[in-house]
Amino acid sequence: MGKVKVWDGFIRGFHWLLVIALGVLYISGEEGWLELHFVTGYVLLALMLARLIWGVIGSETARLSKLINHPTKVVNALKGKEDRVGHNAAGSLMVVLFFVLILLQLVTGLFTTDDILVDGPLVQYVSYDLVELAGSIHHSNIDFIIAAIALHILAIIAYRFKGKNLIKTLLTGTVESSLQQPKMKAGWIAYIIFALFAAVLIFLWGMEPLSQLMA
């Protein structure tokens, strides 16, 4: 039994940046701070795109292929019969759910409008009916994201009672285990990808709301 590195620097940073961005998006949406809402949305979209790419080229535990598991493995994980570094099969299912819900929220946001002052950057390219549908999904999907977050927090608490401190692992990137060390890659590569995506999206769509925020 010894310390095994589970999460690279980007995966750890991705998790906490995701938490912050979702919090800012929710509060800014509720308060009508639309410039902040849009800029944060573009940054989060860049973060998600970087995470998807890192899921192909990144560390072993970051790979998207590791998130797809047979239902039997999910059941075994829920019963505590699966032991592996990184997300177990049940946790992987939760990650996939988050990815789908967050990407759905971000993409629909690009097609939404308040019918007064602010339009998403892609509103002009689609029909009004599609804009209405996107807006409806965007406003209702947040409830599913909140429910998923609540379920995630409950799972963290449950694992804490079982002696597994998932939050500490996401802070340190290591865990006590007798299992083999997974292959790691330098997280700074993914941060560069994230920064490039963020710069492009802000340049294309975010300059106006960003300038209003900084005014």
Side-chain angles (χ1 to χ4, degrees):
M1 184 75 71
K3 286 190 178 297
V4 174
K5 187 171 183 180
V6 180
W7 305 119
D8 59 57
F10 176 71
I11 292 300
R12 300 200 309 273
F14 167 82
H15 180 274
W16 300 113
L17 288 172
L18 182 62
V19 170
I20 294 169
L22 288 175
V24 173
L25 281 174
Y26 180 77
I27 293 171
S28 61
E30 289 293 305
E31 296 295 330
W33 303 333
L34 296 184
E35 291 82 8
L36 177 61
H37 192 76
F38 273 95
V39 170
T40 305
Y42 300 144
V43 173
L44 180 53
L45 179 57
L47 184 67
M48 291 299 298
L49 291 173
R51 175 64 182 91
L52 292 177
I53 291 177
W54 197 239
V56 177
I57 68 173
S59 302
E60 184 179 347
T61 50
R63 296 294 177 94
L64 297 177
S65 59
K66 295 289 184 180
L67 300 178
I68 309 301
N69 297 275
H70 192 276
T72 303
K73 289 187 177 181
V74 176
V75 173
N76 287 338
L78 291 173
K79 292 180 179 178
K81 296 180 180 179
E82 184 194 36
D83 190 18
R84 67 181 185 185
V85 292
H87 295 296
N88 64 24
S92 297
L93 195 62
M94 193 75 226
V95 172
V96 171
L97 176 62
F98 267 121
F99 281 7
V100 170
L101 291 175
I102 291 170
L103 287 171
L104 179 63
Q105 191 72 4
L106 291 170
V107 171
T108 54
L110 300 176
F111 295 92
T112 58
T113 177
D114 66 353
D115 289 319
I116 303 173
L117 296 173
V118 182
D119 289 341
L122 301 183
V123 166
Q124 59 183 316
Y125 302 110
V126 298
S127 67
Y128 187 74
D129 287 342
L130 187 55
V131 170
E132 287 272 282
L133 176 61
S136 177
I137 294 173
H138 191 75
H139 287 97
S140 60
N141 187 58
I142 188 63
D143 294 330
F144 292 102
I145 293 177
I146 293 172
I149 291 172
L151 182 60
H152 182 55
I153 293 173
L154 289 174
I156 290 173
I157 295 172
Y159 273 104
R160 189 69 186 92
F161 280 114
K162 293 180 180 180
K164 293 184 178 181
N165 192 335
L166 301 182
I167 293 179
K168 181 180 178 181
T169 302
L170 272 170
L171 288 170
T172 64
T174 62
V175 65
E176 290 287 336
S177 177
S178 58
L179 298 176
Q180 184 178 355
Q181 169 71 53
K183 296 178 181 178
M184 292 284 115
K185 292 192 177 180
W188 61 265
I189 300 172
Y191 280 114
I192 290 176
I193 296 171
F194 164 47
L196 289 174
F197 272 126
V200 170
L201 291 176
I202 292 297
F203 177 77
L204 289 176
W205 297 331
M207 295 303 293
E208 183 177 348
L210 183 60
S211 63
Q212 291 175 359
L213 273 178
M214 298 177 67

